[in-house]
Amino acid sequence: MASGQMSRAEALECKGFRHACHVMLYSDTESQLFGKTPIKHIVLMQMRYDGLLGFPGGLVNPSEETLEAGLTRELLEEVGLAVPIREEDLVETCIAPPHPGFNPRLILHFYVKKMEEEQIRELEKAATTTAVDHGLEAMGMVRVPLYTTKSGGGLPNFLSQSFIGNARTQLVTSLRRLHLVSPGELQRALQNSLRMHAESARSLNQPHLSVSLHVQVE
């Protein structure tokens, strides 16, 4: 079966595939950065054990539990709260594309859930105090900066980081779909993030840095 969008029902009928469920949790906020820049929305992502950014969640076995019950269980382990996830929160289901020389045979289910700001704050606190996976599989929750500062920081810098799988695409698509960032600002942030990524790559190839890294590794 080719990689692409499918319904939840179609996905559950697929044989020989594993299922992974992840969720973007967000809320509105009246907070301002330095008392000047409106933050408007809180969007949570997660720093993973492998140093990549992603959304909380994990593998679910539909023969033992529903997708949503499995995702709620994963959230309890990773963020310390059993956030209830509903079928209605599902926004995308697709087959993960194969890697060179390896086909994961994995179906990805992506959910989006809006919460109250106080619930988000409670979740952030629980993620560092009661989550059993904190410091192991999950290194901590991260807020996505949805603004761009005068110096070009914020969202462009964030998007230039390394993400797991299609998490960056899921984030950008959700920001666009939910109108959390204006189309123009989002496009500029994406363009600037590509420039920053290219600059970082060039800096890592500088001779003096290459020698330094080689010495440290040895």
Short mmCIF file of all heavy atoms in Angstrom, two decimals, residues 69-116:
data_model
loop_
_atom_site.label_atom_id
_atom_site.label_comp_id
_atom_site.label_asym_id
_atom_site.label_seq_id
_atom_site.Cartn_x
_atom_site.Cartn_y
_atom_site.Cartn_z
N ALA A 69 -7.48 5.33 23.81
CA ALA A 69 -7.13 4.86 25.15
C ALA A 69 -5.62 4.64 25.25
O ALA A 69 -4.99 4.94 26.27
CB ALA A 69 -7.88 3.57 25.48
N GLY A 70 -5.04 4.11 24.17
CA GLY A 70 -3.59 3.90 24.16
C GLY A 70 -2.82 5.20 24.22
O GLY A 70 -1.79 5.30 24.90
N LEU A 71 -3.31 6.21 23.50
CA LEU A 71 -2.65 7.51 23.53
C LEU A 71 -2.77 8.15 24.91
O LEU A 71 -1.80 8.74 25.42
CB LEU A 71 -3.26 8.43 22.46
CG LEU A 71 -2.69 9.85 22.36
CD1 LEU A 71 -1.18 9.85 22.26
CD2 LEU A 71 -3.30 10.58 21.17
N THR A 72 -3.92 8.03 25.53
CA THR A 72 -4.10 8.55 26.89
C THR A 72 -3.13 7.86 27.85
O THR A 72 -2.54 8.50 28.73
CB THR A 72 -5.54 8.33 27.36
OG1 THR A 72 -6.42 9.13 26.56
CG2 THR A 72 -5.72 8.75 28.82
N ARG A 73 -2.93 6.56 27.68
CA ARG A 73 -1.97 5.82 28.51
C ARG A 73 -0.55 6.34 28.29
O ARG A 73 0.21 6.54 29.25
CB ARG A 73 -2.05 4.32 28.18
CG ARG A 73 -0.96 3.49 28.83
CD ARG A 73 -1.01 2.03 28.39
NE ARG A 73 -1.04 1.88 26.94
CZ ARG A 73 0.02 2.05 26.15
NH1 ARG A 73 1.20 2.39 26.67
NH2 ARG A 73 -0.09 1.88 24.84
N GLU A 74 -0.19 6.57 27.03
CA GLU A 74 1.14 7.10 26.72
C GLU A 74 1.34 8.48 27.34
O GLU A 74 2.43 8.81 27.82
CB GLU A 74 1.33 7.17 25.20
CG GLU A 74 1.56 5.82 24.53
CD GLU A 74 2.94 5.26 24.83
OE1 GLU A 74 3.86 6.06 25.11
OE2 GLU A 74 3.10 4.03 24.79
N LEU A 75 0.30 9.30 27.31
CA LEU A 75 0.39 10.63 27.90
C LEU A 75 0.62 10.56 29.40
O LEU A 75 1.40 11.34 29.97
CB LEU A 75 -0.87 11.44 27.59
CG LEU A 75 -1.05 11.86 26.14
CD1 LEU A 75 -2.40 12.55 25.94
CD2 LEU A 75 0.07 12.79 25.70
N LEU A 76 -0.04 9.62 30.07
CA LEU A 76 0.17 9.45 31.50
C LEU A 76 1.63 9.12 31.79
O LEU A 76 2.22 9.65 32.73
CB LEU A 76 -0.73 8.34 32.04
CG LEU A 76 -0.59 8.00 33.52
CD1 LEU A 76 -0.89 9.22 34.39
CD2 LEU A 76 -1.49 6.84 33.90
N GLU A 77 2.24 8.28 30.95
CA GLU A 77 3.63 7.89 31.16
C GLU A 77 4.60 9.04 30.85
O GLU A 77 5.60 9.21 31.54
CB GLU A 77 3.97 6.68 30.28
CG GLU A 77 3.18 5.43 30.62
CD GLU A 77 3.39 4.32 29.61
OE1 GLU A 77 4.16 4.53 28.64
OE2 GLU A 77 2.78 3.24 29.76
N GLU A 78 4.30 9.81 29.80
CA GLU A 78 5.26 10.81 29.32
C GLU A 78 5.07 12.20 29.92
O GLU A 78 6.04 12.94 30.07
CB GLU A 78 5.19 10.90 27.79
CG GLU A 78 5.66 9.63 27.10
CD GLU A 78 5.70 9.77 25.60
OE1 GLU A 78 5.40 10.87 25.08
OE2 GLU A 78 6.03 8.77 24.92
N VAL A 79 3.81 12.57 30.22
CA VAL A 79 3.58 13.92 30.75
C VAL A 79 2.96 13.91 32.15
O VAL A 79 2.73 14.97 32.73
CB VAL A 79 2.70 14.76 29.78
CG1 VAL A 79 3.33 14.83 28.42
CG2 VAL A 79 1.29 14.19 29.70
N GLY A 80 2.67 12.72 32.68
CA GLY A 80 2.22 12.63 34.06
C GLY A 80 0.74 12.83 34.28
O GLY A 80 0.27 12.76 35.41
N LEU A 81 -0.02 13.07 33.20
CA LEU A 81 -1.47 13.23 33.31
C LEU A 81 -2.16 12.39 32.25
O LEU A 81 -1.71 12.36 31.10
CB LEU A 81 -1.88 14.70 33.14
CG LEU A 81 -1.48 15.68 34.25
CD1 LEU A 81 -1.93 17.09 33.88
CD2 LEU A 81 -2.11 15.27 35.59
N ALA A 82 -3.24 11.73 32.62
CA ALA A 82 -4.01 10.92 31.67
C ALA A 82 -4.99 11.83 30.94
O ALA A 82 -6.19 11.84 31.21
CB ALA A 82 -4.73 9.79 32.40
N VAL A 83 -4.49 12.60 30.01
CA VAL A 83 -5.33 13.52 29.24
C VAL A 83 -6.28 12.71 28.37
O VAL A 83 -5.84 11.91 27.54
CB VAL A 83 -4.47 14.44 28.36
CG1 VAL A 83 -5.35 15.42 27.58
CG2 VAL A 83 -3.45 15.20 29.20
N PRO A 84 -7.60 12.90 28.54
CA PRO A 84 -8.55 12.11 27.74
C PRO A 84 -8.54 12.56 26.28
O PRO A 84 -8.69 13.73 25.97
CB PRO A 84 -9.91 12.41 28.40
CG PRO A 84 -9.72 13.74 29.06
CD PRO A 84 -8.29 13.79 29.50
N ILE A 85 -8.32 11.61 25.37
CA ILE A 85 -8.31 11.88 23.94
C ILE A 85 -9.52 11.20 23.30
O ILE A 85 -9.83 10.04 23.60
CB ILE A 85 -7.01 11.34 23.29
CG1 ILE A 85 -5.78 11.95 23.98
CG2 ILE A 85 -7.01 11.66 21.80
CD1 ILE A 85 -5.67 13.45 23.83
N ARG A 86 -10.21 11.92 22.43
CA ARG A 86 -11.41 11.39 21.78
C ARG A 86 -11.15 11.12 20.29
O ARG A 86 -10.21 11.65 19.71
CB ARG A 86 -12.57 12.38 21.90
CG ARG A 86 -12.90 12.82 23.33
CD ARG A 86 -13.92 13.93 23.29
NE ARG A 86 -13.43 15.07 22.49
CZ ARG A 86 -14.19 16.08 22.09
NH1 ARG A 86 -15.48 16.10 22.38
NH2 ARG A 86 -13.66 17.07 21.38
N GLU A 87 -12.01 10.31 19.70
CA GLU A 87 -11.93 10.07 18.26
C GLU A 87 -12.01 11.38 17.49
O GLU A 87 -11.36 11.54 16.45
CB GLU A 87 -13.08 9.15 17.82
CG GLU A 87 -12.65 7.74 17.51
CD GLU A 87 -13.75 6.90 16.92
OE1 GLU A 87 -14.13 7.14 15.75
OE2 GLU A 87 -14.23 5.99 17.62
N GLU A 88 -12.81 12.32 18.00
CA GLU A 88 -13.02 13.59 17.31
C GLU A 88 -11.75 14.44 17.26
O GLU A 88 -11.66 15.39 16.48
CB GLU A 88 -14.13 14.39 17.99
CG GLU A 88 -15.52 13.78 17.87
CD GLU A 88 -15.75 12.60 18.82
OE1 GLU A 88 -14.89 12.41 19.72
OE2 GLU A 88 -16.73 11.86 18.64
N ASP A 89 -10.76 14.11 18.10
CA ASP A 89 -9.51 14.86 18.11
C ASP A 89 -8.55 14.42 17.01
O ASP A 89 -7.54 15.08 16.77
CB ASP A 89 -8.81 14.71 19.48
CG ASP A 89 -9.65 15.25 20.63
OD1 ASP A 89 -10.30 16.29 20.44
OD2 ASP A 89 -9.65 14.63 21.71
N LEU A 90 -8.86 13.32 16.35
CA LEU A 90 -7.99 12.81 15.28
C LEU A 90 -8.09 13.71 14.05
O LEU A 90 -9.18 14.01 13.56
CB LEU A 90 -8.40 11.38 14.92
CG LEU A 90 -7.61 10.70 13.80
CD1 LEU A 90 -6.16 10.50 14.23
CD2 LEU A 90 -8.26 9.37 13.42
N VAL A 91 -6.94 14.15 13.54
CA VAL A 91 -6.93 15.03 12.37
C VAL A 91 -6.22 14.41 11.18
O VAL A 91 -6.41 14.86 10.04
CB VAL A 91 -6.27 16.40 12.69
CG1 VAL A 91 -7.07 17.14 13.75
CG2 VAL A 91 -4.83 16.22 13.14
N GLU A 92 -5.41 13.37 11.39
CA GLU A 92 -4.66 12.81 10.26
C GLU A 92 -4.22 11.39 10.56
O GLU A 92 -3.74 11.09 11.66
CB GLU A 92 -3.43 13.69 9.99
CG GLU A 92 -2.54 13.18 8.86
CD GLU A 92 -1.31 14.05 8.67
OE1 GLU A 92 -1.39 15.02 7.91
OE2 GLU A 92 -0.28 13.74 9.31
N THR A 93 -4.39 10.53 9.59
CA THR A 93 -3.88 9.16 9.66
C THR A 93 -3.19 8.85 8.34
O THR A 93 -3.75 9.09 7.27
CB THR A 93 -5.02 8.15 9.90
OG1 THR A 93 -5.58 8.37 11.19
CG2 THR A 93 -4.51 6.72 9.82
N CYS A 94 -1.97 8.35 8.42
CA CYS A 94 -1.23 8.04 7.20
C CYS A 94 -0.20 6.95 7.48
O CYS A 94 0.14 6.68 8.64
CB CYS A 94 -0.54 9.28 6.63
SG CYS A 94 0.76 9.95 7.69
N ILE A 95 0.30 6.34 6.42
CA ILE A 95 1.36 5.34 6.54
C ILE A 95 2.70 6.05 6.53
O ILE A 95 2.96 6.91 5.68
CB ILE A 95 1.28 4.32 5.39
CG1 ILE A 95 -0.03 3.52 5.49
CG2 ILE A 95 2.48 3.38 5.43
CD1 ILE A 95 -0.20 2.50 4.40
N ALA A 96 3.55 5.70 7.47
CA ALA A 96 4.89 6.29 7.53
C ALA A 96 5.67 5.86 6.29
O ALA A 96 5.67 4.68 5.93
CB ALA A 96 5.61 5.85 8.80
N PRO A 97 6.36 6.80 5.64
CA PRO A 97 7.15 6.44 4.45
C PRO A 97 8.32 5.54 4.83
O PRO A 97 8.87 5.66 5.92
CB PRO A 97 7.63 7.80 3.92
CG PRO A 97 7.61 8.70 5.12
CD PRO A 97 6.46 8.23 5.95
N PRO A 98 8.70 4.64 3.94
CA PRO A 98 9.84 3.75 4.23
C PRO A 98 11.15 4.51 4.23
O PRO A 98 11.29 5.53 3.56
CB PRO A 98 9.79 2.74 3.08
CG PRO A 98 9.10 3.47 1.97
CD PRO A 98 8.09 4.36 2.64
N HIS A 99 12.10 4.04 5.03
CA HIS A 99 13.45 4.59 5.06
C HIS A 99 14.30 3.80 4.07
O HIS A 99 13.94 2.68 3.68
CB HIS A 99 14.04 4.49 6.47
CG HIS A 99 13.19 5.12 7.51
ND1 HIS A 99 12.89 6.46 7.52
CD2 HIS A 99 12.54 4.58 8.59
CE1 HIS A 99 12.12 6.74 8.56
NE2 HIS A 99 11.89 5.61 9.22
N PRO A 100 15.43 4.35 3.66
CA PRO A 100 16.33 3.60 2.76
C PRO A 100 16.71 2.24 3.36
O PRO A 100 17.30 2.17 4.42
CB PRO A 100 17.54 4.52 2.63
CG PRO A 100 16.99 5.90 2.86
CD PRO A 100 15.94 5.72 3.90
N GLY A 101 16.30 1.20 2.69
CA GLY A 101 16.64 -0.15 3.15
C GLY A 101 15.78 -0.65 4.29
O GLY A 101 16.05 -1.73 4.84
N PHE A 102 14.75 0.10 4.68
CA PHE A 102 13.94 -0.34 5.82
C PHE A 102 12.52 0.20 5.69
O PHE A 102 12.32 1.40 5.47
CB PHE A 102 14.55 0.14 7.13
CG PHE A 102 13.68 -0.08 8.34
CD1 PHE A 102 13.39 -1.37 8.77
CD2 PHE A 102 13.12 0.98 9.03
CE1 PHE A 102 12.58 -1.59 9.87
CE2 PHE A 102 12.30 0.77 10.13
CZ PHE A 102 12.04 -0.53 10.55
N ASN A 103 11.54 -0.66 5.80
CA ASN A 103 10.13 -0.27 5.79
C ASN A 103 9.55 -0.52 7.17
O ASN A 103 9.40 -1.67 7.59
CB ASN A 103 9.35 -1.06 4.74
CG ASN A 103 7.92 -0.58 4.58
OD1 ASN A 103 7.43 0.21 5.39
ND2 ASN A 103 7.24 -1.04 3.55
N PRO A 104 9.23 0.55 7.93
CA PRO A 104 8.75 0.36 9.31
C PRO A 104 7.36 -0.26 9.40
O PRO A 104 6.96 -0.71 10.46
CB PRO A 104 8.75 1.79 9.86
CG PRO A 104 8.58 2.66 8.66
CD PRO A 104 9.31 1.97 7.55
N ARG A 105 6.61 -0.24 8.26
CA ARG A 105 5.22 -0.74 8.28
C ARG A 105 4.49 -0.18 9.50
O ARG A 105 4.00 -0.90 10.36
CB ARG A 105 5.19 -2.27 8.26
CG ARG A 105 5.77 -2.86 6.99
CD ARG A 105 5.57 -4.36 6.91
NE ARG A 105 4.15 -4.73 6.83
CZ ARG A 105 3.42 -4.69 5.71
NH1 ARG A 105 3.94 -4.25 4.59
NH2 ARG A 105 2.15 -5.08 5.73
N LEU A 106 4.46 1.14 9.53
CA LEU A 106 3.91 1.88 10.67
C LEU A 106 2.84 2.85 10.19
O LEU A 106 3.04 3.58 9.21
CB LEU A 106 5.03 2.64 11.36
CG LEU A 106 4.67 3.47 12.59
CD1 LEU A 106 4.24 2.56 13.74
CD2 LEU A 106 5.86 4.32 13.01
N ILE A 107 1.71 2.85 10.87
CA ILE A 107 0.64 3.81 10.58
C ILE A 107 0.64 4.88 11.66
O ILE A 107 0.64 4.57 12.86
CB ILE A 107 -0.73 3.11 10.50
CG1 ILE A 107 -0.74 2.10 9.34
CG2 ILE A 107 -1.85 4.13 10.32
CD1 ILE A 107 -2.05 1.34 9.20
N LEU A 108 0.66 6.13 11.24
CA LEU A 108 0.73 7.27 12.14
C LEU A 108 -0.64 7.91 12.30
O LEU A 108 -1.30 8.23 11.32
CB LEU A 108 1.72 8.30 11.61
CG LEU A 108 3.12 7.79 11.25
CD1 LEU A 108 3.93 8.88 10.59
CD2 LEU A 108 3.82 7.26 12.50
N HIS A 109 -1.05 8.10 13.53
CA HIS A 109 -2.31 8.78 13.85
C HIS A 109 -1.97 10.06 14.62
O HIS A 109 -1.34 10.00 15.68
CB HIS A 109 -3.21 7.89 14.70
CG HIS A 109 -3.46 6.52 14.11
ND1 HIS A 109 -4.53 6.25 13.28
CD2 HIS A 109 -2.77 5.36 14.23
CE1 HIS A 109 -4.50 4.97 12.92
NE2 HIS A 109 -3.43 4.42 13.49
N PHE A 110 -2.39 11.19 14.09
CA PHE A 110 -2.05 12.47 14.72
C PHE A 110 -3.32 13.16 15.21
O PHE A 110 -4.27 13.35 14.45
CB PHE A 110 -1.31 13.37 13.73
CG PHE A 110 -0.84 14.67 14.33
CD1 PHE A 110 0.07 14.67 15.37
CD2 PHE A 110 -1.31 15.88 13.85
CE1 PHE A 110 0.51 15.86 15.94
CE2 PHE A 110 -0.88 17.08 14.39
CZ PHE A 110 0.03 17.07 15.44
N TYR A 111 -3.30 13.54 16.48
CA TYR A 111 -4.44 14.18 17.13
C TYR A 111 -4.08 15.61 17.53
O TYR A 111 -2.91 15.94 17.75
CB TYR A 111 -4.84 13.41 18.40
CG TYR A 111 -5.31 12.00 18.17
CD1 TYR A 111 -4.42 10.97 17.84
CD2 TYR A 111 -6.65 11.67 18.30
CE1 TYR A 111 -4.85 9.67 17.64
CE2 TYR A 111 -7.10 10.36 18.10
CZ TYR A 111 -6.18 9.37 17.77
OH TYR A 111 -6.62 8.09 17.57
N VAL A 112 -5.10 16.45 17.65
CA VAL A 112 -4.93 17.81 18.16
C VAL A 112 -6.01 18.05 19.20
O VAL A 112 -7.19 17.82 18.93
CB VAL A 112 -5.03 18.86 17.03
CG1 VAL A 112 -5.02 20.27 17.62
CG2 VAL A 112 -3.89 18.70 16.03
N LYS A 113 -5.60 18.51 20.39
CA LYS A 113 -6.57 18.73 21.47
C LYS A 113 -6.36 20.10 22.09
O LYS A 113 -5.25 20.42 22.53
CB LYS A 113 -6.46 17.65 22.54
CG LYS A 113 -7.49 17.80 23.67
CD LYS A 113 -7.37 16.67 24.66
CE LYS A 113 -8.42 16.80 25.77
NZ LYS A 113 -9.79 16.67 25.25
N LYS A 114 -7.43 20.88 22.15
CA LYS A 114 -7.35 22.19 22.80
C LYS A 114 -7.69 22.05 24.28
O LYS A 114 -8.65 21.35 24.65
CB LYS A 114 -8.31 23.18 22.13
CG LYS A 114 -8.17 24.61 22.66
CD LYS A 114 -9.01 25.59 21.87
CE LYS A 114 -8.76 27.01 22.33
NZ LYS A 114 -9.58 28.01 21.57
N MET A 115 -6.92 22.72 25.13
CA MET A 115 -7.11 22.67 26.56
C MET A 115 -7.20 24.08 27.12
O MET A 115 -6.98 25.06 26.39
CB MET A 115 -5.96 21.92 27.23
CG MET A 115 -5.71 20.52 26.65
SD MET A 115 -4.24 19.71 27.32
CE MET A 115 -4.76 19.39 29.00
N GLU A 116 -7.49 24.20 28.40
CA GLU A 116 -7.43 25.49 29.07
C GLU A 116 -5.99 25.77 29.48
O GLU A 116 -5.21 24.84 29.71
CB GLU A 116 -8.34 25.50 30.30
CG GLU A 116 -9.81 25.33 29.99
CD GLU A 116 -10.37 26.46 29.15
OE1 GLU A 116 -9.91 27.62 29.34
OE2 GLU A 116 -11.25 26.21 28.31
#
